């Protein structure tokens, strides 16, 4: 059996994701699609709309055969860590390829860009340092450096202002850098851009961001129905308590007020004095929206701030980070019968231990995922602590 | 003007407290009664029923002229630290005496006991070590040692199984140990024992513990009325959201689940492996009552466990504790016009800076009291953070 992999959040699963899985299967002639999916906290530094088992069910109902969890440090890390975690797990699962959506759509562009950037690495780093010194955010500075190199050497590079191109670039880079034995494959994204709003009359594919916006702002489930596969929409409809930062804010606020600003620097990504701003904002802001109004700045992207807050919420310290630098297990969240067949066949060839039932553990990485579930559940009223021990893999 | 001092919690202010103030004034011929009162967290390791300004109003309405705050580390410390903080502040305020209630009622017994225990200190320590090794709690072991010494040397010692005698003993001891220039004075407690329930037909004095029990268990305010001065009862009636550990538990639980057990030992009083029990109990217990059922043991008194939990709730670390070993200011919570006159007269003789309005501060002790207010308010829904900056002293 041939397996291809996708690295996903499914927040929530929509028509674009369905297309992605179908194309991945087709392009790679795979029998099996394995989704490495983030758990309860996501790359933009926010809680998932629905819990990981609900999102696993969405994935299995729509073409994925196996869903494994991308552990917390990778799921909430920078693009390169996110990519490293995801590819490592697919490699450990013996996937022959990884398929990612991109605005670009042609793998050759990723190759050209990777080689060019490697060749001019030093020049790029200097340009980035200069831009960030002048107040640009890191992504802005990076993009700026690319533009300069592209012009100077007359190269046709990837448009790295596009979010899926960036992520794709990092997948490609990680494969090269660690010499992973896995083929990259990209699928042209169709229709909705990342941040686009839904226009139900002209599109049937909308971005997950657009869908979440519609859920929280217009509270109109019906307006979303056309953009999601029926099986996914049913699950969304069934679970009405969609989690967001406002649910977490009372606990985050308590933690910020309970901690001396200086102590906040113990948490991952907290640097450069932002801890004082966080402390001050927690005193004033009664909601997360108010909090972000106070702390947002040109210096930090919204995502970067949210990631810092996620790490504080989670109590994820720099010290803990050092113990969890690579995936140490394959945590099965769910599988179809085909998925199970694949796992049985590959049992002895898997490069990491398989966990389908969580028992007592001393693995600090697994402990983090258990903690993420517990705190997510506490904050959102979604269930009691310990669900990771009690929930068997979803079977479909 | 002559001032006498009392060290109190007023949780809530009842007829016994009124009697205490009246007797203190009479016995010492004082013009002024100064109450050093705990803030939002108390010596038994629990939040105060009403906030510190509400309790200040109770005190001023019933004979106290000045109310100053006993800072968090002393208010929630062991008896000796509680006593040290209280006496230090009264001394700084130029009180000529401190009056405390006791079951004993005669100061000479405190003197005799202090001298006897000092003379046989080594023997007592050995006996205590032996008892705690055999599984006794520290208070039990202490009391046991006293009994042995008392018999052996035929001494008539204080009954140190009585809670107010113990506290009184510590006041006396701190005065001697630090050679404070302040007279001890004790007032015989009448009627209700510390833990007694209210019996409205036979008594008009009930213990604060008894009153709180009636408030939380029978929810019958009327049954309490007879045991409180009218001005105090009115304030109790007015503020219906009485705080208790159940209010704090969701935040405590979140913190326990967010923290690796080993990290909990950073907090004051956490030792000997109880951190693992706390972590486990937080996973299971949905209420504070359930939590205490799981963690209570013969080894630790209920109070000691609650104190540890208070420190975790507050984020009060052993490192912070080292910075706040003695009172560094006199924080005025409220005063009558007589009280104000006394402070004006004594302005230049006060031994610590007077704070009536809290501004920006770098004093770590004051920062703790501000934090205690913020977290108490967040947990009980009592108000927004920063009330310490916004609330002027209560004037009556």
């Amino acid at each position: 059996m041939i397996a291809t992999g996708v690295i996903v959040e499914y927040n929530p699963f929509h028509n674009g994701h369905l297309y992605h899985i179908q194309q991945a299967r087709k392009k790679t002639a795979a029998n099996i699609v394995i989704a490495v999916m983030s758990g309860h906290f996501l790359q933009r530094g926010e809680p998932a709309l629905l819990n990981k088992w609900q999102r696993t069910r969405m994935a299995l109902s729509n073409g994925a055969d196996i869903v494994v969890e991308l552990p917390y440090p990778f799921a909430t890390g920078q693009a390169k860590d996110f990519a490293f975690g995801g590819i490592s797990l697919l490699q450990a699962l013996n996937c022959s390829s990884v398929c990612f959506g991109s605005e670009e759509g042609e793998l050759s562009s990723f190759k050209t860009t990777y080689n060019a950037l490697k060749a001019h690495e030093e020049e790029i780093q200097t340009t980035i340092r200069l831009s960030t010194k002048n107040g640009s955010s890191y992504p802005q500075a990076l993009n700026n450096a690319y533009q300069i190199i592209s012009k100077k050497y007359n190269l046709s590079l990837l448009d790295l202002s596009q979010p899926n191109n960036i992520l794709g670039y990092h997948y490609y880079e990680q494969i090269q850098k660690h010499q992973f034995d896995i083929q990259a494959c990209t699928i042209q994204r169709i229709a909705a851009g990342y941040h686009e709003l839904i226009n139900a009359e002209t599109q049937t594919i909308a971005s997950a961001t657009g869908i979440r916006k519609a859920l929280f702002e217009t509270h109109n489930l019906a307006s979303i129905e056309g953009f999601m596969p029926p099986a996914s929409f049913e699950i969304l409809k069934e679970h009405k308590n969609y989690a967001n930062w406002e649910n977490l804010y009372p606990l985050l606020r308590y933690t910020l007020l309970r901690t001396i600003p200086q102590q906040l620097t113990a948490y991952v990504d907290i640097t450069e004095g932002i801890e004082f701003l966080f402390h001050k904002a927690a005193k004033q802001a009664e909601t997360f929206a108010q909090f972000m109004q106070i702390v947002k700045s040109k210096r930090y992207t919204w995502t970067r701030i949210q990631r810092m807050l996620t790490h504080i919420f989670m109590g994820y310290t720099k010290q803990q980070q050092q113990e969890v630098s690579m995936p140490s297990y394959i945590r099965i969240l769910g599988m179809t019968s085909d998925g199970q067949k694949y796992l049985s066949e590959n049992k002895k060839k898997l490069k990491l231990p398989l966990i389908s039932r969580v028992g007592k553990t001393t693995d600090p990485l697994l402990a983090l995922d258990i903690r993420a579930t517990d705190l997510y559940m506490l904050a959102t009223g979604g269930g009691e602590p310990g669900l990771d021990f009690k929930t068997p893999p979803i079977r479909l």
Side-chain angles (χ1 to χ4, degrees), chain A:
Chain A
M1 286 169 117
I2 298 172
T4 190
V6 294
I7 303 170
V8 298
E9 296 188 326
Y10 294 157
N11 190 42
F13 192 101
H14 58 58
N15 286 343
H17 297 131
L18 181 63
Y19 177 79
H20 177 210
I21 289 182
Q22 289 168 342
Q23 289 296 310
R25 197 184 285 276
K26 199 165 142 190
K27 268 201 152 181
T28 63
N31 314 97
I32 295 293
V33 176
I34 300 182
V36 174
M37 189 183 79
S38 303
H40 291 117
F41 295 95
L42 308 179
Q43 221 244 327
R44 285 159 58 84
E46 53 192 27
L49 211 57
L50 295 178
N51 78 39
K52 62 190 181 188
W53 294 287
Q54 292 159 347
R55 280 152 48 236
T56 295
R57 199 174 284 282
M58 286 178 161
L60 296 177
S61 311
N62 290 287
D65 296 293
I66 299 172
V67 180
V68 310
E69 183 167 3
L70 182 63
Y72 175 86
F74 309 104
T76 60
Q78 295 172 21
K80 79 168 175 5
D81 301 320
F82 182 88
F84 172 72
I87 305 273
S88 296
L89 281 168
L90 293 178
Q91 160 102 348
L93 278 153
N94 286 331
C95 286
S96 45
S97 57
V98 53
C99 287
F100 53 88
S102 67
E103 291 82 2
E104 164 58 35
E106 287 297 330
L107 195 69
S108 58
S109 292
F110 288 88
K111 241 177 247 187
T112 315
T113 305
Y114 175 74
N115 292 331
L117 297 189
K118 229 185 140 191
H120 306 291
E121 200 172 346
E122 211 165 299
E123 195 174 347
I124 290 171
Q125 288 309 325
T126 312
T127 316
I128 288 176
R129 262 197 300 278
L130 209 71
S131 302
T132 50
K133 240 189 192 167
N134 290 334
S136 294
S137 74
Y138 185 80
Q140 284 170 339
L142 191 66
N143 193 43
N144 180 37
Y146 289 165
Q147 303 293 345
I148 290 170
I149 294 294
S150 152
K151 261 194 193 146
K152 189 167 168 189
Y153 300 100
N154 195 24
L155 296 165
S156 164
L157 299 181
L158 267 175
D159 177 0
L160 284 172
S161 68
Q162 298 289 341
N164 288 281
N165 284 349
I166 296 181
L167 215 46
Y169 178 79
H170 282 285
Y171 294 139
Y172 191 85
E173 184 185 55
Q174 290 300 314
I175 292 172
Q176 303 308 317
K177 202 171 152 187
H178 298 280
Q179 302 194 294
F180 283 125
D181 182 23
I182 197 166
Q183 288 298 316
C185 152
T186 190
I187 293 156
Q188 169 101 52
R189 277 174 64 95
I190 48 174
Y194 196 59
H195 297 291
E196 274 170 46
L197 281 169
I198 291 172
N199 179 337
E201 283 169 29
T202 57
Q203 299 173 202
T204 56
I205 289 190
S207 74
T209 306
I211 291 177
R212 290 196 301 277
K213 222 170 168 168
L215 267 184
F216 286 118
E217 289 176 15
T218 64
H219 306 280
N220 183 355
L221 259 180
S223 75
I224 295 163
E225 186 164 7
F227 301 98
M228 294 174 71
S232 178
F233 184 70
E234 282 308 308
I235 294 167
L236 191 73
K237 225 170 67 176
E238 198 180 307
H239 302 283
K240 290 221 173 77
N241 294 320
Y242 310 123
N244 67 12
W245 255 114
E246 294 297 349
N247 301 132
L248 277 51
Y249 183 62
L251 297 176
L252 173 73
R253 188 184 195 193
Y254 159 72
T255 293
L256 291 172
L257 292 177
R258 176 183 174 274
T259 315
I260 293 177
Q262 290 84 339
Q263 288 177 327
L264 290 176
T265 59
Y267 298 108
V268 171
D269 290 351
I270 311 293
T271 47
E272 301 167 11
I274 200 165
E275 61 274 16
F276 295 98
L277 187 57
F278 284 174
H279 200 261
K280 193 188 118 200
K283 291 223 165 207
Q284 294 172 15
E286 289 180 45
T287 65
F288 186 71
Q290 289 169 10
F291 183 90
M292 288 301 282
Q293 278 304 313
I294 297 171
V295 302
K296 73 173 182 184
S297 75
K298 278 192 186 158
R299 179 160 191 160
Y300 301 103
T301 61
W302 190 279
T303 292
R304 190 161 163 214
I305 292 173
Q306 287 200 149
R307 255 189 236 144
M308 295 185 204
L309 297 174
T310 301
H311 298 325
I312 294 174
F313 175 82
M314 269 285 289
Y316 178 46
T317 61
K318 289 167 184 166
Q319 197 188 336
Q320 284 168 41
Q321 190 182 33
Q322 292 178 352
E323 298 172 2
V324 292
S325 57
M326 57 176 64
S328 50
Y329 53 83
I330 299 165
R331 167 80 188 280
I332 305 290
L333 289 176
M335 55 194 159
T336 61
S337 52
D338 281 353
Q340 191 176 17
K341 242 178 265 166
Y342 176 82
L343 290 176
S344 306
E345 255 184 31
N346 281 267
K347 217 178 215 171
K348 291 185 179 159
K349 290 179 276 176
L350 299 179
K351 296 172 190 80
L352 288 172
L354 201 68
I355 300 180
S356 48
R357 287 280 198 161
V358 175
K360 241 188 168 177
T361 178
T362 55
D363 187 320
L365 190 61
L366 188 53
L368 267 179
D369 279 338
I370 293 167
R371 190 198 299 175
T373 299
D374 287 351
L375 300 187
Y376 177 91
M377 294 297 167
L378 268 192
T380 61
E384 284 307 307
L387 278 185
D388 275 298
F389 299 102
K390 294 172 200 155
T391 313
I394 306 291
R395 302 294 289 269
L396 223 76

